[in-house]
Amino acid sequence: MRRGRHKQREDRAELYALLDEGLFCHLGVAVDGTPRVLPTAYGRIGDTLYLHGSTGARSLNTDGEVCVTVTLVDALVLARSAFHHSVNHRSAMVYGRPRVVTDPDERMAGLRALTEQIAPGRWDHIREPNRKEMAATRVLALSLAEASVKVRTGPPVDDEEDMDLDVWAGTVPVGQVYGEPEPDPLLKAGIGVPRHLREHRSPA
């Protein structure tokens, strides 16, 4: 990290915690020399990040390096000047050359990790992918060996000459809230909301 080194975090536990709290990532790839950034789900097992998509997606056919980012916004940082406005956040960037997962057990484990990332406990309540679905799905594994974490916390940092301005400054917390589960209109009668969804609430 060349800029904002004071925001860098080197504890692997912070990387794991950030990735485990996130729901979505952005996958940056190059397709025929053109950059593409794709929002997608992910899952983590140990030091490996799992991604998935259609076998027909050109963006997942790349054999080059990729960049995966996950960002969690914690607060808006409102300063006295436009220049010093910012955002309190935690972000991770993972670089590397992903490998296509071919081992059947690892492929299934990767898809389970993806599902559990979105809704913990969900995998044990659903039908697992069948052979046709597995054939249409590409699973990628990306090592977390090359990863950086950046964290911004605290109030705005204004210039000294601006401190006496009659302008409100401070932070506005930003949080993620889960609403009440809404059933599929075609859901069979008598099926209630499972416990793992009832207990799925915003991070503390």
Side-chain angles (χ1 to χ4, degrees):
M1 187 177 295
R2 293 184 175 88
R3 299 186 61 186
R5 294 187 66 87
H6 64 286
K7 300 177 184 177
Q8 183 175 1
R9 299 292 187 272
E10 298 182 354
D11 188 346
R12 299 291 288 185
E14 291 199 50
L15 170 64
Y16 298 152
L18 191 162
L19 294 176
D20 292 348
E21 185 176 336
L23 291 175
F24 233 51
C25 71
H26 286 87
L27 168 65
V29 300
V31 179
D32 296 334
T34 301
R36 296 186 184 182
V37 178
L38 311 170
T40 185
Y42 69 91
R44 181 182 75 87
I45 301 177
D47 276 324
T48 301
L49 206 63
Y50 287 94
L51 308 159
H52 82 307
S54 169
T55 54
R58 296 177 64 203
S59 56
L60 296 184
N61 288 335
T62 178
D63 59 357
E65 292 193 350
V66 303
C67 176
V68 173
T69 63
V70 176
T71 301
L72 305 179
V73 175
D74 295 319
L76 307 179
V77 181
L78 309 181
R80 294 164 181 82
S81 67
F83 183 81
H84 288 297
H85 276 61
S86 187
V87 174
N88 281 346
H89 70 283
R90 292 161 286 153
S91 62
M93 299 184 71
V94 184
Y95 300 92
R97 190 181 298 270
R99 60 180 173 84
V100 177
V101 180
T102 58
D103 178 77
D105 291 338
E106 186 182 6
R107 294 186 77 214
M108 193 66 77
L111 293 175
R112 176 175 184 142
L114 281 154
T115 304
E116 291 290 295
Q117 183 76 22
I118 297 172
R122 188 67 177 162
W123 188 263
D124 292 333
H125 292 262
I126 58 176
R127 175 182 64 77
E128 295 184 4
N130 58 36
R131 292 180 61 183
K132 181 179 179 180
E133 292 165 340
M134 292 296 285
T137 303
R138 173 169 283 118
V139 179
L140 300 180
L142 180 62
S143 170
L144 294 176
E146 295 293 332
S148 64
V149 175
K150 188 176 181 180
V151 177
R152 201 279 185 200
T153 61
V157 181
D158 274 304
D159 295 328
E160 186 175 351
E161 58 267 29
D162 291 333
M163 299 304 287
D164 288 332
L165 293 176
D166 294 328
V167 177
W168 187 91
T171 59
V172 179
V174 175
Q176 183 167 260
V177 177
Y178 293 97
E180 290 297 320
E182 299 178 1
D184 180 352
L186 302 179
L187 188 68
K188 290 173 57 177
I191 300 179
V193 177
R195 179 176 178 180
H196 71 277
L197 289 182
R198 293 198 307 270
E199 296 177 350
H200 195 192
R201 294 292 182 265
S202 303

